[in-house]
Amino acid sequence: MSIATAIRDRDVAELPGRRDEDWRWTDLRGLIRKLPPPSEPFTAGVGDGPFDALAAERRVVVNGRGAEPIEVPRDASSIVAVRFVSRGAGVHIARLNIFLGANARLVLLESYESNGASLSEAALNITLGAGAVVERVVLAQDHAEAVSVSQADVTLASRATFGQTTVASGARRQRLETRVLHPGGQASLRLDGVYLLADKRHSDQTTVVTHAGTDGVTAQLTKGVVRDQARGVFQGRIVVEEGADRTDARMGHHALILSDRAEVDAKPELEIFADEVACAHGNTVGALDEDALFYARQRGMPEDDARALLTEAFIGEVVDRIDHAGAREVVRAWVAERLRG
Amino acid sequence: MAAVKQTVEHVESLEKYKHGFVTDIEQDFAPKGLNADIVRFISAKKNEPEWMLAWRLDAFERWLAMDEPDWAKVSFPKIDYQDSYYYAAPKEKVGIKSLDEVDPDILETYKKLGIPLREQEVLAGVVGAPRYAVDAVFDSVSVVTTFKKELAQVGVIFCSMSEAIREHPELVKTYLGSVVPVSDNYFACLNAAVFSDGSFVYVPPGVRCPMELSTYFRINAENSGQFERTLIIADKGAYVSYLEGCTAPMRDENQLHAAVVELVTLDDAEIKYSTVQNWYPGDPETGRGGIYNFVTKRADCRGDRSKVSWTQVETGSAITWKYPSCILRGDGSSGEFYSIAITNGRQQADTGTKMIHLGKDTRSRIISKGISAGRSSNTYRGLVSAHPKATGARNFTQCDSLLIGKHCAAHTVPYIEARNGKAKFEHEATTTRLSEDQLFYVMQRGLSQEEAVQLLVNGFVKDVLQELPMEFAVEAQKLVAISLEGSVG
């Protein structure tokens, strides 16, 4: 069940849909009655990407073409911006492999940019050697009519550190899925997300973290703001396998619903097969705190400004956790623009 | 030295499952297997009216077209539905007028049950016995219903389902299947076709039921499925508290238990439904035997400001698969779910609740405490949803899991669906093992490891035990301790 197999067999029935447990809130099968035309190459310019100024190396994958592997050798360090650009209404499939040698460092600045009713899937394989460090910042700014799916499979060797922040404004259907496997011990993981959705946009942030080694640490924080008739989806699963002792895993998902017709669906799951662990998750969904709003207005702040201030502060907690200062400011500006606009 | 005596008793009970005995009384069996004729046989045995038979046959037709669900985190060999007896009634002795005439073996069985509620005395007719009304379901047929007259004086109807079908067909027709529709799920549908008996309660408007109502389910005959159907209706402004306690004898064949419980509350009414379930969990080493507990329990808070509270202590069964739920339809209605699920040995439990907020200002609260020990698996699965019209809906969920031992598993699978900007949902969950520090502290003060574990576990589940009616709470606390015997060290 994936977009790739549906394209290969030219069969919409193979698209994932509501009956697949992991896709219950992101129904592609019910949405797509007919597959879009095959992908065409696009040769015209695609303009600048959001992270161009920060990166030492820039990659642009247009309509699924040009995804050369990224390798960071042992002890080396690099900052790479990767843009997945979709132009036109075709079906675009991209695969990107990323390898880090032992103690290598990479800042991966990724963006998704579509401009129409395309159907795109990006599959990333990220492998970290022992002691390697990756920070991945993903900015998904898709078109309202696009269907965009990104799936990253991350494998952490022992003592590896992986930090991630996905930031999404939604699309007709948008899914950012991250699967992390800690086979080695002492791996450390931060897995954050932000979604800001308006109109009829949909965004799904799905994570699966599997602790197979000992002494792993996972910290997850996802926050979302939905308005109009938008729909935010968060699915987080933490699996602690037998023998993965001294795992410490924490997951939080908090969402604000700012209109009567918006929707938030969440499924924070824990699947624990070891006893020497500490795992927790928290989930809240609700409206802006009326008391805080009242307080701000009482001090002369117009209501719209007060709302923007409070929602920015709400999202700011996630943004502040981005390590790379440049990327953090790009994301902060992007968030502010959407919340104030 | 009550504590010493208790310990001795606990150790004795470790020897084998306390309630694992078989009472030999003559039984009326339907032939093995399941087909439309068996459904007719059951209906005829119970002298049911034509409309009830039609209802059952319709359910059977639908069941044939359904597939058995497999999404729960439980695994078991495929059930052969043709290899079971669907009806087994103790042979009736004609014209029982008083308890003395009840089969002495049955009375003996009650005695052996250990009796959490002293229903034994009630059944034996002891003067000054506590005021419980007991509807005892002995292998599918209500043997005796006590206190019926006293209840009748205030207008409360408490009887077996088969009697209700005969005596109160209007109420049954109106409400049966209105909360759990016939084809709601595979097991509920099977129940609708072959249900044997169960309890029926109707509390008229404005009446506060003068006593705790209680029922006893006990699976007795070999290879006989137990398919109760319980229906409780609290009319406007009524209140009733209902207790359900379960034990079953030891057995090698897996036994299927697929009950359906339907609760209906109208305006300002309240139902409190408490369960202690202690069926045979199967052999702790091999997992052989044991009960399959696949139950559909659902409450419909139909009226404004109505309330339903589910409390369950699940310590038994090889497999528990159930989700007592509340449909919060009436404005201002509220639902509560308090659960303790303990798994040990090879037990598997996938349990939780659904709180479906449809009305305005509806509230729900979920407190779930799961404890897994041995090689068992314990899953909390729950749904909280708010409809776009459910403005002001409020939910608080807390589910905590405790792991005792290296080979057990604990899972938490909450589903939250908020379709409303004015709903507020909070959920928190933790999974940990018993704190070494706390254990050390308690043992340092002279408690054995087992006692220390019991003490800490009782603290862990305290929030839920408090919700049980008093007489159940004491028993449940002991049950918690007994269930965990042999899980440490």
Side-chain angles (χ1 to χ4, degrees):
Chain A
M1 289 298 157
S2 74
I3 296 178
T5 54
I7 307 292
R8 191 192 60 212
D9 301 340
R10 299 296 304 166
D11 183 4
V12 284
E14 291 196 31
L15 288 168
R18 212 163 23 170
R19 293 195 169 273
D20 302 300
E21 178 61 24
D22 285 349
W23 292 78
R24 56 185 291 134
W25 292 314
T26 304
D27 183 10
L28 297 187
R29 196 187 306 172
L31 178 81
I32 300 170
R33 302 275 166 212
K34 194 168 150 272
L35 287 175
S39 175
E40 299 277 343
F42 183 83
T43 46
V46 291
D48 294 333
F51 296 116
D52 281 359
L54 304 172
E57 193 185 334
R58 287 180 280 278
R59 307 281 188 101
V60 184
V61 180
V62 185
N63 288 3
R65 292 160 176 83
E68 297 300 317
I70 297 171
E71 280 183 59
V72 187
R74 194 187 178 93
D75 300 319
S77 111
S78 182
I79 301 179
V80 183
V82 181
R83 299 170 62 194
F84 290 92
V85 181
S86 297
R87 290 288 177 263
V91 183
H92 313 301
I93 308 279
R95 310 228 162 274
L96 175 64
N97 291 318
I98 299 172
F99 301 97
L100 276 91
N103 302 318
R105 300 179 82 87
L106 171 68
V107 177
L108 180 66
L109 304 169
E110 211 173 299
S111 57
Y112 291 85
E113 304 161 38
S114 51
N115 74 341
S118 54
L119 170 59
S120 57
E121 183 183 65
L124 290 86
N125 252 306
I126 307 175
T127 310
L128 279 73
V133 180
V134 168
E135 174 159 52
R136 180 180 181 225
V137 180
V138 180
L139 202 55
Q141 36 190 12
D142 278 304
H143 189 267
E145 290 304 313
V147 175
S148 169
V149 174
S150 154
Q151 183 181 323
D153 283 285
V154 183
T155 309
L156 307 180
S158 59
R159 291 178 288 101
T161 303
F162 186 81
Q164 170 176 302
T165 307
T166 50
V167 185
S169 58
R172 188 150 182 235
R173 292 290 183 282
Q174 180 186 60
R175 171 145 161 146
L176 297 168
E177 182 172 338
T178 313
R179 292 174 175 267
V180 185
L181 183 62
H182 292 235
Q186 295 167 308
S188 157
L189 174 67
R190 175 181 64 77
L191 215 49
D192 295 347
V194 167
Y195 54 90
L196 308 173
L197 311 179
D199 307 321
K200 288 186 168 176
R201 284 175 180 251
H202 162 281
S203 184
D204 169 343
Q205 305 223 359
T206 293
T207 63
V208 179
V209 178
T210 306
H211 286 265
T214 58
D215 301 282
V217 176
T218 294
Q220 260 189 286
L221 181 63
T222 297
K223 287 193 169 190
V225 177
V226 293
R227 60 179 82 224
D228 305 326
Q229 294 174 55
R231 184 178 190 191
V233 174
F234 170 78
Q235 303 185 104
R237 186 188 307 151
I238 293 177
V239 183
V240 180
E241 291 187 352
E242 195 167 338
D245 288 335
R246 295 178 298 281
T247 293
D248 187 330
R250 274 154 224 287
M251 181 198 297
H253 170 249
H254 307 283
L256 290 178
I257 302 185
L258 300 185
S259 76
D260 284 347
R261 297 178 68 192
E263 173 171 349
V264 170
D265 301 310
K267 185 164 72 143
E269 266 182 88
L270 296 173
E271 217 171 290
I272 318 286
F273 295 92
D275 79 325
E276 216 181 317
V277 297
C279 295
H281 66 227
N283 185 84
T284 56
V285 180
L288 266 186
D289 184 354
E290 289 297 327
D291 291 347
L293 205 57
F294 177 76
Y295 180 89
R297 291 185 62 197
Q298 203 189 27
R299 269 142 191 82
M301 191 179 278
E303 184 169 344
D304 285 351
D305 288 1
R307 283 183 189 280
L309 182 84
L310 290 171
T311 42
E312 260 183 82
F314 174 73
I315 295 296
E317 191 190 348
V318 183
V319 177
D320 287 343
R321 288 157 60 110
I322 299 174
D323 266 347
H324 188 276
R328 189 167 59 229
E329 292 319 309
V330 169
V331 170
R332 199 188 303 283
W334 190 88
V335 167
E337 187 191 320
R338 265 152 195 83
L339 290 179
R340 285 180 195 159
Chain B
M1 296 298 279
V4 175
K5 192 162 162 277
Q6 268 184 15
T7 311
V8 171
E9 280 166 7
H10 287 174
V11 171
E12 273 170 5
S13 74
L14 269 178
E15 299 295 316
K16 63 175 198 290
Y17 179 65
K18 208 158 80 178
H19 303 147
F21 52 84
V22 180
T23 314
D24 267 328
I25 42 172
E26 290 176 86
Q27 296 233 358
D28 246 2
F29 284 108
K32 216 177 207 184
L34 181 56
N35 54 46
D37 285 339
I38 294 289
V39 176
R40 286 196 188 88
F41 176 90
I42 295 169
S43 188
K45 267 278 167 200
K46 307 176 75 58
N47 296 320
E48 285 178 356
E50 195 58 35
W51 60 267
M52 199 61 230
L53 176 63
W55 197 76
R56 284 176 183 271
L57 287 172
D58 169 58
F60 182 68
E61 282 297 313
R62 294 186 198 209
W63 180 74
L64 287 177
M66 291 171 95
D67 291 325
E68 194 177 330
D70 59 0
W71 44 261
K73 271 196 179 73
V74 295
S75 63
F76 52 92
K78 198 136 182 59
I79 299 170
D80 182 356
Y81 292 93
Q82 297 303 335
D83 191 36
S84 213
Y85 294 100
Y86 287 85
Y87 183 79
K91 270 203 177 153
E92 245 180 278
K93 295 192 173 171
V94 187
I96 292 175
K97 291 190 190 69
S98 74
L99 278 169
D100 299 343
E101 290 175 48
V102 171
D103 196 323
D105 281 351
I106 293 182
L107 289 178
E108 187 59 26
T109 303
Y110 287 129
K111 217 173 257 173
K112 278 196 232 170
L113 278 170
I115 308 303
L117 306 170
R118 279 179 266 158
E119 273 115 359
Q120 203 183 181
E121 294 173 28
V122 180
L123 286 166
V126 171
V127 182
R131 289 152 56 86
Y132 304 112
V134 183
D135 184 20
V137 179
F138 195 93
D139 246 70
S140 320
V141 169
S142 275
V143 178
V144 67
T145 307
T146 52
F147 282 114
K148 230 154 118 181
K149 271 190 197 146
E150 201 174 330
L151 289 170
Q153 278 171 5
V154 287
V156 174
I157 303 169
F158 180 38
C159 62
S160 72
M161 187 57 91
S162 29
E163 195 181 329
I165 290 167
R166 288 193 302 269
E167 309 289 329
H168 309 283
E170 283 65 40
L171 285 173
V172 176
K173 273 189 202 169
T174 310
Y175 291 105
L176 189 69
S178 71
V179 183
V180 180
V182 168
S183 50
D184 183 78
N185 67 68
Y186 188 79
F187 298 107
C189 193
L190 176 63
N191 175 288
V194 302
F195 75 85
S196 34
D197 216 326
S199 301
F200 176 87
V201 180
Y202 173 79
V203 188
V207 170
R208 190 178 168 90
C209 188
M211 63 189 81
E212 304 263 358
L213 300 184
S214 165
T215 190
Y216 238 64
F217 292 140
R218 187 171 149 69
I219 300 174
N220 194 57
E222 279 186 62
N223 281 338
S224 61
Q226 180 94 339
F227 302 94
E228 284 94 10
R229 187 99 199 178
T230 299
L231 176 59
I232 302 177
I233 304 139
D235 212 320
K236 290 178 183 171
Y239 168 86
V240 62
S241 167
Y242 188 88
L243 289 69
E244 174 198 271
C246 311
T247 52
M250 184 178 280
R251 182 134 345 270
D252 270 335
E253 291 291 319
N254 288 307
Q255 289 182 308
L256 175 64
H257 182 94
V260 172
V261 176
E262 296 178 283
L263 310 184
V264 180
T265 48
L266 303 183
D267 288 355
D268 301 295
E270 179 177 350
I271 297 177
K272 185 173 170 63
Y273 194 105
S274 314
T275 308
V276 171
Q277 186 263 113
N278 180 30
W279 281 327
Y280 181 53
D283 185 273
E285 298 301 319
T286 62
R288 250 180 82 77
I291 306 291
Y292 291 175
N293 186 18
F294 301 163
V295 179
T296 307
K297 289 183 171 178
R298 192 175 303 157
D300 190 352
C301 294
R302 229 165 262 187
D304 293 347
R305 299 167 303 279
S306 62
K307 180 178 176 184
V308 166
S309 174
W310 295 101
T311 307
Q312 60 172 26
V313 179
E314 302 282 329
T315 61
S317 291
I319 301 173
T320 301
W321 185 2
K322 69 168 199 180
Y323 313 95
S325 308
C326 294
I327 301 168
L328 303 169
R329 202 185 298 275
D331 291 346
S333 60
S334 65
E336 291 175 349
F337 175 75
Y338 299 98
S339 167
I340 299 171
I342 301 178
T343 55
N344 200 348
R346 294 261 177 190
Q347 280 175 277
Q348 306 171 56
D350 192 319
T351 185
T353 185
K354 291 184 200 171
M355 293 291 174
I356 299 163
H357 293 257
L358 301 178
K360 290 184 179 57
D361 299 315
T362 44
R363 280 161 297 137
S364 63
R365 181 180 170 87
I366 301 170
I367 308 284
S368 165
K369 305 279 179 179
I371 299 167
S372 28
R375 293 187 166 271
S376 67
S377 156
N378 199 327
T379 303
Y380 167 83
R381 189 186 300 273
L383 167 74
V384 178
S385 76
H387 190 266
K389 286 181 185 156
T391 51
R394 187 89 174 76
N395 165 266
F396 174 74
T397 303
Q398 185 183 353
C399 41
D400 297 323
S401 303
L402 194 64
L403 294 146
I404 303 175
K406 285 261 170 250
H407 305 290
C408 52
H411 312 303
T412 315
V413 191
Y415 295 77
I416 297 121
E417 297 181 352
R419 298 200 181 88
N420 184 317
K422 297 196 174 62
K424 195 168 179 189
F425 290 170
E426 289 172 79
H427 173 104
E428 54 186 61
T430 60
T431 304
T432 50
R433 66 168 176 170
L434 276 181
S435 150
E436 290 284 339
D437 291 350
Q438 288 176 6
L439 269 180
F440 177 74
Y441 179 88
V442 176
M443 285 168 70
Q444 202 191 26
R445 268 143 190 80
L447 266 65
S448 73
Q449 189 178 19
E450 200 130 275
E451 287 166 333
V453 168
Q454 282 178 17
L455 184 75
L456 295 183
V457 167
N458 268 315
F460 177 74
V461 298
K462 196 183 66 189
D463 293 349
V464 175
L465 284 179
Q466 282 172 346
E467 297 298 327
L468 282 170
M470 188 57 180
E471 53 283 343
F472 252 29
V474 175
E475 181 66 19
Q477 190 167 343
K478 284 183 193 159
L479 198 58
V480 168
I482 291 173
S483 310
L484 290 169
E485 298 267 9
S487 63
V488 288

